[in-house]
């Protein structure tokens, strides 16, 4: 940057100053509502569900400020896909994703003895302070047999709610500590032998209407971004029922070192628009990530939910005006 250039200034979100509203149905879910529009932005559901679906917390329904839902829940093709969630498809021989497990040479098999779970322990903070809301949770990760494999500290922050542009954002931070006496190995169907199916980690399942939606990256677009690296990726789809589109932007925090240039295990995008809409910034797409006993894996992501079909330039401008 030259001496005559100035760093971009963060854009101030426009709202009427009222606090984001939080309703906690204890033992079930936390719902965050935008007070100006009255729209419930999302519910964070933490009650345990079916064992076959690998119980875990998730966000659903997630809505735009116009009130349109941009997540799916228990679709008939994958009952364990639930909104926006963070989990592991392959973890030291266990499946905390839910459903069938991929076995090389045999395909997807029903192996309930490999399906683990994540358990809610408690909340350290559930609060709204002005234009931000925070959910800070402690969880544990378990194999099918129930032993403690990992502790997780999770923080979900809602911010930059802007009724003028029809957008809002959440930042998801997870710190996962290995409590075993041996390494935890995070993998994916691709590390197990299935080509270009490296899903694991943070995962968004879009609504059925978003099938055949537009996939946008910083320098390219389309399903060919599967397995590629980039600091962000966006997905735009058209609604059923109501007119118009919505765009979701998924971005790595700088400390994720998504390209691995700083020595971090590299991340690659899992993304598809057929036969359904899905995005995951996979932390072990092509190669397993090994977490030593007592070590902690931390990842931070931002998800922007916007009304309208944003173009690449709009996305880049938004990210520039809302730095980490």
């Amino acid at each position: 940057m030259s001496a005559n250039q100035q760093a971009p200034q963060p854009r101030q979100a426009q709202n009427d100053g009222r606090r984001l509203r939080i309703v906690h149905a204890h033992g079930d879910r936390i719902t965050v509502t935008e007070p100006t529009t009255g729209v419930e932005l999302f519910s964070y559901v933490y009650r345990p569900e079916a064992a076959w679906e690998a119980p875990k917390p998730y966000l659903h329904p997630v809505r735009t400020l116009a009130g349109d839902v941009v997540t799916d829940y228990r679709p008939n093709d994958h009952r364990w896909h639930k909104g926006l969630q963070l989990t592991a498809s392959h973890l030291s021989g266990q499946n905390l994703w839910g459903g069938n497990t991929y076995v090389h040479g045999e395909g997807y098999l029903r192996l309930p003895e490999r399906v683990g779970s994540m358990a809610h322990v408690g909340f350290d903070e559930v609060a709204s302070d002005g234009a931000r809301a925070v959910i800070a949770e402690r969880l544990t990760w378990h194999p099918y047999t129930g032993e403690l494999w990992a502790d997780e500290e999770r923080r979900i922050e809602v911010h930059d709610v802007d009724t003028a542009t029809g957008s809002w954002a959440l930042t998801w931070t997870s710190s996962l500590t290995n409590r075993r006496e041996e390494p935890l190995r995070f993998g994916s169907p691709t590390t197990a032998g299935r080509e270009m199916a490296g899903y694991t980690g943070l995962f968004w399942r879009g609504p059925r209407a978003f099938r055949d939606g537009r996939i946008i990256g910083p320098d390219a677009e389309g399903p060919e971004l599967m397995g590629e690296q980039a600091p962000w990726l966006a997905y735009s789809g058209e609604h059923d029922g109501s007119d118009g589109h919505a765009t979701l932007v998924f971005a790595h925090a700088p400390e994720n070192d998504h390209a691995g240039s700083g020595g971090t295990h590299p991340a690659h995008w899992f993304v598809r628009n057929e036969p359904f809409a899905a995005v995951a910034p996979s932390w072990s797409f092509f190669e397993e990530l090994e977490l030593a006993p007592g070590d902690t894996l931390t990842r931070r992501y931002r998800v922007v939910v916007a009304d309208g079909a944003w173009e690449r330039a709009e996305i880049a401008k938004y990210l520039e005006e809302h730095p980490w």
Side-chain angles (χ1 to χ4, degrees), residues 82-102:
K82 299 177 182 181
L84 180 68
Q85 57 187 2
L86 184 140
T87 181
S89 59
H90 288 242
L91 181 64
S92 295
Q94 288 285 295
N95 164 12
L96 275 69
W97 195 264
N100 295 337
T101 300
Y102 180 78

Side-chain angles (χ1 to χ4, degrees), residues 131-170:
R132 298 178 73 91
V134 175
I135 300 171
E137 183 186 25
R138 285 170 285 115
L139 307 97
T140 51
W141 292 38
H142 306 270
Y144 174 79
T145 47
E147 300 95 328
L148 175 63
W149 272 16
D151 291 320
E152 182 189 347
E153 293 184 359
R154 177 177 296 184
R155 186 177 180 88
I156 297 172
E157 301 175 74
V158 183
H159 52 92
D160 292 311
V161 179
D162 193 334
T163 54
T165 62
S167 65
W168 64 277
L170 69 84

Side-chain angles (χ1 to χ4, degrees), residues 149-222:
W149 272 16
D151 291 320
E152 182 189 347
E153 293 184 359
R154 177 177 296 184
R155 186 177 180 88
I156 297 172
E157 301 175 74
V158 183
H159 52 92
D160 292 311
V161 179
D162 193 334
T163 54
T165 62
S167 65
W168 64 277
L170 69 84
T171 296
W172 183 310
T173 307
S174 283
S175 295
L176 190 64
T177 302
N178 182 4
R179 298 304 185 195
R180 301 181 78 194
E181 296 182 354
E182 58 186 278
L184 278 173
R185 293 177 290 105
F186 293 84
S188 69
T190 294
T191 67
R194 183 187 173 196
E195 291 187 2
M196 302 305 286
Y199 54 83
T200 194
L202 187 70
F203 179 79
W204 167 75
R205 171 67 189 254
R208 290 191 181 277
F210 279 26
R211 181 176 178 177
D212 197 31
R214 185 181 178 193
I215 301 166
I216 308 170
D219 303 305
E221 66 176 82

Side-chain angles (χ1 to χ4, degrees), residues 12-21 33-39 65 128-132 160-165 167:
Q12 298 299 313
Q14 296 184 32
N15 55 53
D16 67 357
R18 289 190 287 171
R19 293 172 183 263
L20 291 166
R21 186 165 64 248
T33 299
E34 198 287 311
T36 305
T37 60
V39 170
L65 285 175
S128 175
D129 181 9
R132 298 178 73 91
D160 292 311
V161 179
D162 193 334
T163 54
T165 62
S167 65

Side-chain angles (χ1 to χ4, degrees), residues 38-94:
V39 170
E40 293 182 355
L41 299 181
F42 64 81
S43 287
Y44 182 74
V45 182
Y46 63 94
R47 70 169 187 269
E49 297 188 352
W52 172 243
E53 297 166 13
K56 67 188 76 66
Y58 59 88
L59 272 68
H60 178 81
V62 177
R63 295 183 175 90
T64 69
L65 285 175
D68 294 307
V69 175
V70 293
T71 49
D72 206 352
Y73 172 74
R74 297 192 76 244
N76 60 19
D77 49 59
H78 295 78
R79 294 297 189 193
W80 46 94
H81 285 185
K82 299 177 182 181
L84 180 68
Q85 57 187 2
L86 184 140
T87 181
S89 59
H90 288 242
L91 181 64
S92 295
Q94 288 285 295

